[in-house]
Each structure stands twice: as C-alpha cells, then as structure tokens.
Amino acid sequence: MPELPEVETTRRGLEPHVVGRRILALEVHEPRLRWPVPRSLAQTLAGQRIEAAGRRAKYLLLELTHGTLLWHLGMSGNLRVLPADTPRAPHDHLDLRLDSGMTLRFNDPRRFGSVHYTTQEPRVHPLLASLAPEPFEDAFNADYLWRITRRRRVSIKQLLMNSRLVVGVGNIYASEALYRAGIRPGRAAHRLTRAEAKRLVKAVRAVLAHAIKVGGTTLRDYVGADGNPGYFRQRLNVYERAGEPCRRCGTPVRGLTQGQRSSYYCPRCQR
Ligand SMILES: [Zn+2]
C-alpha cells in the first residue's frame, strides 16, 4: 500500500511534468472508484491549468485554475505520466490528458483510490479538515507526542499508526522508527518517557525522510512508458525480518501481531 513516502515520491515525480500544463480532457474508463467519479468532472476540468502539485497526508493536491483535485492512491493505485498514445493496461481507470502530449494515467487494481474536486480551500474539505499533523510539521513535536501518549494504554506502535494523532506513519515506518528510537512496539503508550518521545519524533522524521530520498532514485518509474509502477524497496532494519539477525547487534529479530498488523523488533536493542 502506498504510504506517505510513496505519495510524496509520486508528487515529486509528477511535479515537473504536470505543473504549468493545461488539461485537454479527463477520460474516465472506470468511474467506480472508492467514490464514483462524478459525470460532470470531465467538463469541469477541461481547459484548466495545473498551477501546483501539493500533498496533504496521503492526498495529492493538484491545484488548478479554479479549484483543486484531491487524488488518493488507495491501497494499490499509482499515477504515471505517459505519452498519450500509450496503450491502456488493465486497471487503467483515468487519463488526464495534458497539452504536452502526455497523459497522467491512474491505475488501481483494487479501486480504493479516489478523485475529488473542490473550489474551496482544500484544507477545509471534509476529507482533509480533521487530519492530524504531518510528521514534518512543527506541530508534531516531542511535547505533542508526550501529551497524546499520557492517558493511552494502547501500544506505542498502534498510537503512531493512528491517523487521528499523526498522519502518514504506516506499518512499515512505525516499525522502523521504533527500532531506530530503541523502543519496543508493544510498549504501552503512556509508559513512554519524555526523552523517548523526543527520540521517537526524530526517528519518525528520519525514517520517512530517508524513504522519500531513496524513492527519488526511482522517479523514472513515474514517467517511463513501460516502467514498472512498483514502489521502491528500501533496506529495512526490522520490518519483515523475523528470525534474521539485527543489523546492529546480531540478535534475531522478533515478529509479533498487534491489532491484526505484524510488528517486528530487536529484543536487545529495543526496550
Ligand atoms: Zn539489536
């Protein structure tokens, strides 16, 4: 599933190819996404210029002349810029044809992705209005993490993955950040110390920033006609490494299930 770094990588990959371009047409091959694509959308978008490509949580925000497109990749979606005459593949549901001769093509086998258009300030849109802070925003800091962990007995990993508290920290990055901070994923959130809260904020940011940086090397995936849309696979320390030696101390990494998600940690490096 695309997590925040993949969405940011997508945004950076698309930006130079779409910003400043005029939309010739939206072609809807399959309107049944997570929410149906409105019939009127094609007419609304035609002729508008893409002014900027932003992101909030896992939504790509394409700022247009008169409004904003909120694009979510869902569980399995990807966006690529391709020559407009590139033959369509299975699950290619949308084409945003641009005046450059390219098309922004949306592929989504599971169809959990979505597209919304708003003429309001996007931050007040119902999908975005109540989102928690971004990991890179100042609002996500040690004091904030300390405060939200005080009365919660849920595990620290589940708290990190709660998008009402902080957005964009999925399963992989929560596991990796806890490893980096030396904290076991199963620890009750309220047992976090102040020093650990500080370390964990830094670790979350470092892990995400690294993933975005690594993603930068695969940007060609988003512009190549035959490039695999597969997201980058970075070198992970604990995620899906149960039984393999910790890269720091050699102790076998342990796996456990928390809230129906798999967690991984080093029993020696994490307390
Ligand atoms: Zn270790």
Side-chain angles (χ1 to χ4, degrees):
M1 166 155 60
E3 294 201 30
L4 188 145
E6 287 83 347
V7 179
E8 178 62 20
T9 299
T10 298
R11 187 195 72 74
R12 292 181 186 187
L14 301 180
E15 194 173 33
H17 302 281
V18 302
V19 172
R21 290 296 162 193
R22 203 166 288 281
I23 297 170
L24 299 181
L26 171 71
E27 292 169 3
V28 180
H29 313 297
E30 172 56 87
R32 291 169 302 168
L33 302 181
R34 180 165 184 186
W35 287 282
V37 179
R39 273 172 199 281
S40 59
L41 190 60
Q43 205 181 353
T44 305
L45 299 187
Q48 294 206 50
R49 215 174 83 110
I50 301 174
E51 307 289 351
R55 180 186 61 75
R56 174 72 172 108
K58 294 205 279 184
Y59 288 91
L60 278 167
L61 308 180
L62 292 185
E63 231 178 85
L64 310 181
T65 316
H66 304 297
T68 306
L69 270 183
L70 281 58
W71 211 316
H72 198 289
L73 304 180
M75 309 278 287
S76 58
N78 70 79
L79 276 166
R80 287 188 294 162
V81 179
L82 303 165
D85 58 1
T86 307
R88 273 170 52 216
H91 314 296
D92 282 343
H93 304 312
L94 302 175
D95 269 299
L96 197 63
R97 300 265 311 274
L98 306 175
D99 65 355
S100 55
M102 305 294 272
T103 184
L104 181 57
R105 183 164 289 178
F106 183 57
N107 181 287
D108 186 3
R110 297 178 65 180
R111 290 195 274 119
F112 276 101
S114 63
V115 187
H116 287 83
Y117 178 78
T118 179
T119 52
Q120 288 182 296
E121 166 63 33
R123 291 188 182 247
V124 304
H125 190 277
L127 288 171
L128 305 186
S130 58
L131 287 177
E134 294 274 328
F136 294 109
E137 279 175 1
D138 291 343
F140 180 69
N141 57 42
D143 284 342
Y144 173 77
L145 185 60
W146 167 260
R147 204 161 15 88
I148 63 174
T149 50
R150 283 316 82 196
R151 285 162 154 222
R152 295 177 199 261
R153 287 171 185 278
V154 67
S155 74
I156 183 62
K157 174 155 173 279
Q158 284 171 289
L159 182 140
L160 275 185
M161 290 175 62
N162 182 342
S163 59
R164 280 168 301 191
L165 299 173
V166 55
V167 300
V169 187
N171 200 24
I172 299 174
Y173 301 110
S175 290
E176 293 294 309
L178 285 163
Y179 172 77
R180 198 179 175 110
I183 301 163
R184 289 199 186 189
R187 175 108 67 93
H190 70 103
R191 295 194 171 261
L192 207 67
T193 67
R194 213 171 245 284
E196 286 171 335
K198 197 171 169 185
R199 282 215 305 274
L200 189 50
V201 165
K202 274 177 88 170
V204 165
R205 289 183 176 158
V207 163
L208 292 173
H210 177 71
I212 291 167
K213 198 172 142 207
V214 174
T217 62
T218 60
L219 290 188
R220 58 194 162 75
D221 284 351
Y222 301 94
V223 294
D226 53 4
N228 249 323
Y231 295 107
F232 58 90
R233 200 69 190 159
Q234 60 178 128
R235 188 169 180 267
L236 299 169
N237 283 310
V238 285
Y239 187 77
E240 287 186 342
R241 294 194 65 239
E244 292 174 49
C246 167
R247 298 193 201 279
R248 197 183 294 154
C249 74
T251 306
V253 169
R254 278 190 202 160
L256 82 159
T257 304
Q258 291 180 283
Q260 292 156 340
R261 306 298 296 273
S262 308
S263 290
Y264 305 88
Y265 69 99
C266 170
R268 186 154 172 211
C269 295
Q270 291 171 260
R271 319 226 149 231

